[in-house]
Amino acid sequence: MLLPPTLDHYESFAKKFVDMMENPVDTGMMWDYFSWSSIRLSSIALHGLGGVGKTQSALAYGYRNLDTLDAVFWIVADDAYTVQQDFSRVAVDALKLPNAHPHAHGENMVLVLDWLQKTLSKHGAILVTTRDVVVATLPMDTGLEVNEFGVDQGAGFLLQMTPNRRREDGEINSAEDVARQLGGLPLALNQMAALVNARSVLSFLAADSVPLEVFTPEKPEKLPTSLAFCEDELSLADALDELTHHALSNWNTDRELPTPSIYSKRPRNFYSRSSPQRENEYNDDEWLVYERYIPQVLALMSSYNDSQSNARPLKPNMDFVNLLAVAVNAIHDNDTANVNPWMLATADAAYRKCPGEGRDRLLWAVLQSLRCMYHLSTAGFTQAEEEGIEGLNIRLELLSEDDLLIALSYSWLGMAVGGQERYEDRLQLLLKAGKVLEGPAGETPSRKMVWRYNTSRNYYCMGRFVEAEGLLSLALAEAERFDSWYQQVDGHLTFTSLRTRMGRIDDAKGHVDSAKHILETSGTLARFSWLSSYCAYRAGDVALRLRRVKDAIEESEKSVAIGKLTKIPTSSLARYTHNYAKALRMDDSRQQEAEV
């Protein structure tokens, strides 16, 4: 059983709503459609106008059949992120699958889908609610349109939802007028009932209300000059087609005019506590905040993007751009839904549409740095270098030379040129970053620690092992002192790479084993992070060099699986896959798999 957490509200409203639907006039046709077969997998889509009550119908069905259904799973499909979240809840809270872990949304969704495929192959039911009539015909077995209330039904529903109100003369007529004005939409009527209950409204329709005729021009096709802004380039037919597609209106074949839906889902509120320069701490509490608010940011962004093709699109501002930058940075190293490219593109376009005098150039530098980091993750090193240079130049112009952001820009630009095997150029950039960190910017210990890791890696790529080992030993000691699992794992894996290059494979195995132990004892986020994928790759490589075939295959396969889950760079995934193939070739019984 896994229905929405606001169960009491939905259950109360849904029951009253469905009671009104199941009267002698409408018969039980809706519920006949819900009588799914017990010997096969069936599916149905409820479709109709926005606010007509599709969700409440589905909820009521779930509540009324709890005794006959084995389980009810509720999945919100607003976007890819919320789909993953809700499937993850099913895996962890409802099914309690043994390999499911909190926050590992992508993997948890795969586990649930595998479970469903096995469980629902012969029986089960899928119910979808949608505004799009196309979904009701493909791929669903059948579709059922949920219509708005008639005037009598709507009036009865409104009166039923205001049980404590003292009845006055003419109450039914007023309720009918309200139902007529609100188009018979259940959610709109419910909101009106809430307003009546909260404010003790004396009459559903005030006697002195402004007549509707005041708002109706004698010749609608010729608007007065003061209303010229209401015109757009759409023809009536185009506009109605667009409204109908989004279930904001419905064709009435008798009157040959559309029936409008006045209910529309408003963008959700948004908020984020993340800073564009946050630490990579993988803190569980921090990720709970991200899980709560990132979907809201995505919903807001979707509304903004949809509006850009309208005659009067939403106008962006710097706060909106900054919100997107914060969201990108919050999940840049755990973007399992791959939404960061979308957010970066939107932030870029929104920034350019803001008035020139209101643009924050330092915010533009942040966007360039985030784009640089993204292209580093996709092995787009040339593009990352260009973006890193642009962001660095802005910061050098506008910030003091000892600012932390300048040190970070040097480091990110260094990674871009290092990815092109220009290690001497990278070293010079890293040394400039190190000089900045000698001042106030280096007061945060983790900054110097990360700088030492990066610089040591560059040294061993240049064959300067002694210098690499010196910096690496200092960094790992700091990581152990601060008890940071992330930095400790990073240090041990960097040592693994260094020892491997030096030909000291036994020492390399000791470090990779330490990294594995830390990951296995540091919680779900650690076990299913990109660092876990890299650790498995290093463990597989060490096992290959020690001719431990079984371990090499197991670790290499794990590196590919977690790498796909965490969406590591394509170049890294290719390297991990190649390592897996090498391990398979060492097993005579699995040669064919290696070729695939």
Side-chain angles (χ1 to χ4, degrees):
M1 172 66 181
L2 189 67
L3 284 174
T6 52
L7 180 131
D8 292 338
H9 164 73
Y10 276 116
E11 186 174 15
S12 173
F13 177 76
K15 284 182 176 178
K16 292 181 179 179
F17 166 70
V18 175
D19 284 343
M20 293 301 302
M21 294 294 291
E22 290 187 309
N23 57 52
V25 176
D26 290 321
T27 76
M29 181 182 67
M30 174 183 293
W31 299 103
D32 290 340
Y33 275 94
F34 288 143
S35 299
W36 291 303
S37 171
S38 61
I39 60 173
R40 69 183 182 91
L41 175 63
S42 301
S43 60
I44 183 173
L46 297 182
H47 65 95
L49 298 175
V52 80
K54 303 179 293 296
T55 300
Q56 282 65 36
S57 297
L59 283 168
Y61 177 79
Y63 290 127
R64 288 192 174 193
N65 292 275
L66 286 179
D67 294 335
T68 57
L69 296 173
D70 296 325
V72 179
F73 302 144
W74 187 270
I75 306 296
V76 177
D78 287 347
D79 50 57
Y81 195 90
T82 54
V83 169
Q84 286 189 357
Q85 276 189 301
D86 282 357
F87 269 111
S88 188
R89 286 182 59 230
V90 171
V92 175
D93 299 334
L95 298 178
K96 302 185 186 302
L97 298 177
N99 295 321
H101 303 284
H103 313 303
H105 301 324
E107 179 162 301
N108 289 343
M109 183 170 73
V110 173
L111 292 174
V112 174
L113 293 177
D114 288 343
W115 182 88
L116 290 173
Q117 188 174 21
K118 296 174 184 177
T119 307
L120 299 183
S121 58
K122 294 184 179 179
H123 68 279
I126 300 173
L127 171 61
V128 171
T129 65
T130 177
R131 296 183 183 186
D132 195 338
V133 67
V134 176
V135 177
T137 56
L138 184 73
M140 311 303 291
D141 290 342
T142 188
L144 174 65
E145 183 175 9
V146 181
N147 294 310
E148 60 271 26
F149 285 142
V151 172
D152 291 342
Q153 277 183 297
F157 179 71
L158 183 60
L159 293 172
Q160 187 176 356
M161 296 300 291
T162 55
N164 298 324
R165 174 179 163 74
R166 182 164 58 88
R167 302 305 178 201
E168 304 285 346
D169 293 339
E171 193 86 338
I172 294 178
N173 291 336
S174 294
E176 290 175 349
D177 286 342
V178 172
R180 191 177 294 108
Q181 294 285 353
L182 296 180
L185 294 173
L187 292 191
L189 289 166
N190 183 54
Q191 291 174 356
M192 174 59 77
L195 183 65
V196 171
N197 291 330
R199 299 187 179 181
S200 300
V201 177
L202 296 178
S203 174
F204 288 126
L205 286 180
D208 59 347
S209 60
V210 180
L212 186 63
E213 289 76 12
V214 172
F215 302 102
T216 306
E218 295 181 1
K219 297 181 178 180
E221 70 280 5
K222 295 182 179 180
L223 293 175
T225 304
S226 60
L227 297 179
F229 67 89
C230 294
E231 297 178 350
D232 57 41
E233 68 279 7
L234 287 176
S235 66
L236 176 62
D238 290 339
L240 295 181
D241 284 342
E242 184 69 14
L243 289 171
T244 303
H245 174 72
H246 293 292
L248 296 175
S249 68
N250 201 9
W251 285 98
N252 184 317
T253 54
D254 295 331
R255 293 181 295 164
E256 296 184 349
L257 288 173
T259 301
S261 167
I262 66 165
Y263 176 78
S264 62
K265 186 168 72 172
R266 294 172 175 83
R268 289 172 283 186
N269 293 330
F270 59 90
Y271 173 75
S272 176
R273 292 192 327 208
S274 174
S275 163
Q277 285 79 45
R278 74 174 178 87
E279 301 284 349
N280 290 330
E281 296 177 347
Y282 283 88
N283 179 277
D284 281 357
D285 293 336
E286 181 182 1
W287 277 104
L288 288 175
V289 173
Y290 300 156
E291 287 179 5
R292 179 179 179 184
Y293 291 112
I294 292 297
Q296 298 183 24
V297 175
L298 295 177
L300 176 70
M301 181 177 68
S302 180
S303 297
Y304 167 78
N305 284 331
D306 289 345
S307 78
Q308 297 309 293
S309 59
N310 298 339
R312 300 180 65 190
L314 293 173
K315 295 181 180 180
N317 56 28
M318 287 295 102
D319 288 337
F320 176 62
V321 177
N322 186 62
L323 174 71
L324 294 178
V326 167
V328 170
N329 188 71
I331 61 172
H332 77 268
D333 42 16
N334 195 32
D335 181 19
T336 57
N338 198 32
V339 296
N340 270 354
W342 183 30
M343 288 197 286
L344 282 170
T346 301
D348 185 289
Y351 183 94
R352 296 174 188 276
K353 289 182 179 180
C354 290
E357 64 276 7
R359 294 178 183 175
D360 182 349
R361 292 186 63 211
L362 283 175
L363 180 55
W364 181 252
V366 170
L367 289 179
Q368 294 312 299
S369 295
L370 292 171
R371 289 167 63 87
C372 173
M373 285 193 289
Y374 170 72
H375 286 116
L376 285 174
S377 73
T378 61
F381 300 120
T382 301
Q383 190 167 357
E385 181 181 2
E386 294 174 356
E387 291 155 347
I389 290 174
E390 184 174 359
L392 173 62
N393 287 338
I394 293 174
R395 287 172 171 171
L396 287 173
E397 177 187 347
L398 300 177
L399 299 175
S400 62
E401 60 183 12
D402 61 349
D403 195 286
L404 172 61
L405 290 176
I406 290 178
L408 295 178
S409 290
Y410 280 132
S411 296
W412 293 329
L413 181 55
M415 284 189 276
V417 299
Q420 301 171 64
E421 300 184 356
R422 291 158 46 195
Y423 300 121
E424 185 59 45
D425 291 343
R426 183 188 185 189
L427 178 60
Q428 296 308 312
L429 289 167
L430 286 168
L431 293 177
K432 289 181 179 179
K435 186 174 182 180
V436 175
L437 293 174
E438 291 175 0
E443 292 178 358
T444 302
S446 62
R447 294 301 181 188
K448 286 186 176 179
M449 183 167 39
V450 171
W451 176 84
R452 289 187 176 115
Y453 281 147
N454 289 334
T455 308
S456 67
R457 280 189 277 263
N458 196 73
Y459 273 134
Y460 70 59
C461 286
M462 301 173 71
R464 297 166 64 170
F465 298 144
V466 174
E467 291 155 298
E469 184 169 355
L471 284 176
L472 189 50
S473 297
L474 288 172
L476 183 54
E478 289 177 346
E480 291 171 346
R481 184 165 62 254
F482 292 111
D483 195 27
S484 166
W485 72 261
Y486 184 94
Q487 301 297 353
Q488 287 182 70
V489 171
D490 193 13
H492 281 295
L493 294 180
T494 305
F495 254 123
T496 301
S497 182
L498 172 61
R499 296 306 187 211
T500 300
R501 287 171 179 264
M502 297 173 70
R504 295 165 54 178
I505 306 304
D506 288 335
D507 289 344
K509 184 179 184 304
H511 281 290
V512 82
D513 285 345
S514 295
K516 287 171 59 179
H517 175 74
I518 294 170
L519 287 169
E520 290 166 0
T521 58
S522 298
T524 302
L525 287 176
R527 291 195 299 272
F528 292 97
S529 64
W530 73 268
L531 207 52
S532 181
S533 174
Y534 179 55
C535 180
Y537 164 71
R538 281 293 169 203
D541 179 65
V542 168
L544 273 174
R545 295 172 187 271
L546 294 173
R547 311 297 294 178
R548 297 183 177 183
V549 178
K550 183 179 178 181
D551 290 342
I553 293 175
E554 181 180 325
E555 294 291 349
S556 300
E557 183 178 20
K558 180 180 176 182
S559 72
V560 173
I562 300 179
K564 289 179 178 178
L565 175 67
T566 56
K567 291 182 169 51
I568 61 173
T570 304
S571 57
S572 297
L573 186 60
R575 187 166 70 252
Y576 296 3
T577 304
H578 176 67
N579 211 49
Y580 180 35
K582 285 169 60 179
L584 289 172
R585 290 193 192 99
M586 295 177 67
D587 186 339
D588 293 337
S589 65
R590 304 187 69 174
Q591 293 289 322
Q592 188 173 0
E593 292 180 61
E595 295 303 323
V596 175

